[in-house]
Amino acid sequence: MRGRRRDHRRLRRAGWLSRGYARGQVDELLSHVEQRLGAGEPVAAADVRRAGFDLVRHGYDIGAVDRLLDRLERRCVEQAMADEPLWALEDDLRASAGRLRDQLSGAPGARFARLGRMHRGYDPADVDALVERVLRTLDPFSATPEGAPVEADDVRFTVFGRVRGGYVEPAVDDVLDRVIDLLLRHAVLRAQLAAAEVVQALGPDAFTAPAYEEPPARPLSGPEPPLPAAGAG
């Protein structure tokens, strides 16, 4: 990226003998994304998720950068959804979930293209186990009795074993990217719906600062009546 790069000094760095992400590469990505978001330009969350950095001594701490990128992904999704009405977001989310359910509903072991016996790919059993959880989460009629719904981080941090004749890795990664995007959109939509319910319950006036009004002036009292003279009565 051309122009001045921002140094994100608040990011923790790895020890002198440990490896972390190359600082210049991280700074370049973060500055680029922040600049575009600040200008109101759309940024695909997948572009942030797929960013790769070289590992160097005393670079940025890997965990700190990954957590920052996770938050940045959500900001990208929030900005992309900011100008759409809630009903349109709900309709689009349902349609996307339906397409993903159809794509993932194949037989176990045959949900994705497979490599030949001489090449290693993702273990189909590991991938299918995650897919089954995703399908239960995407099923509008499922109560997910076997556990909590899948969240975006569950998909991000799942590690698959590798076996000969396994699933083609890019094919799995592409679909799981779409799953993460869908789950992030769902999380953002839930937050927007919850905020809308609060506004509806309390009324819009609850979120406006009350106008300051001067207290009414107290009327000036007249002179005190004189005390009665001693012995009067």
Side-chain angles (χ1 to χ4, degrees):
M1 178 181 125
R2 297 176 181 174
R4 185 177 178 183
R5 295 185 305 187
R6 176 180 174 185
D7 183 7
H8 293 78
R9 299 181 187 277
R10 290 174 294 175
L11 283 170
R12 186 169 67 250
R13 292 169 67 172
W16 286 101
L17 300 179
S18 302
R19 290 183 177 273
Y21 290 143
R23 301 196 308 276
Q25 295 173 357
V26 174
D27 288 338
E28 185 173 6
L29 174 72
L30 295 179
S31 296
H32 175 68
V33 174
E34 288 171 355
Q35 183 179 21
R36 291 189 60 184
L37 291 177
E41 300 176 8
V43 180
D47 291 343
V48 177
R49 188 181 316 123
R50 294 171 180 169
F53 312 107
D54 293 333
L55 292 176
V56 299
R57 292 189 184 280
H58 199 44
Y60 285 139
D61 180 82
I62 294 174
V65 174
D66 287 346
R67 289 189 293 272
L68 177 59
L69 294 181
D70 290 347
R71 295 194 296 271
L72 198 57
E73 273 187 69
R74 176 154 179 149
R75 280 182 58 197
C76 293
V77 173
E78 289 172 343
Q79 180 148 313
M81 299 172 63
D83 298 328
E84 294 291 330
L86 293 180
W87 64 265
L89 293 174
E90 285 188 282
D91 288 348
D92 185 54
L93 199 63
R94 289 194 184 96
S96 297
R99 289 191 293 269
L100 270 174
R101 286 198 306 271
D102 292 342
Q103 185 171 358
L104 295 174
S105 295
R111 288 188 167 108
F112 299 93
R114 299 186 67 156
L115 296 165
R117 297 298 302 173
M118 299 300 294
H119 300 280
R120 290 181 175 272
Y122 287 146
D123 187 340
D126 291 348
V127 175
D128 288 337
L130 176 63
V131 167
E132 291 295 340
R133 294 181 60 204
V134 169
L135 286 172
R136 288 195 295 272
T137 298
L138 298 181
D139 183 356
F141 304 105
S142 172
T144 60
E146 299 181 21
V150 173
E151 301 288 345
D153 280 350
D154 298 326
V155 182
R156 280 196 192 103
F157 300 130
T158 296
V159 178
F160 304 126
R162 300 180 74 248
V163 297
R164 294 187 184 277
Y167 283 146
V168 175
E169 296 178 12
V172 176
D173 291 339
D174 286 345
V175 173
L176 293 185
D177 266 345
R178 290 171 52 203
V179 171
I180 293 173
D181 284 337
L182 181 71
L183 295 174
L184 285 173
R185 287 162 55 201
H186 184 240
V188 171
L189 180 59
R190 281 185 306 184
Q192 291 181 347
L193 288 171
E197 289 177 359
V198 171
V199 172
Q200 185 175 11
L202 299 180
D205 293 341
F207 298 91
T208 58
Y212 177 75
E213 296 180 0
E214 291 283 351
R218 297 179 60 183
L220 296 176
S221 59
E224 294 287 340
L227 295 175

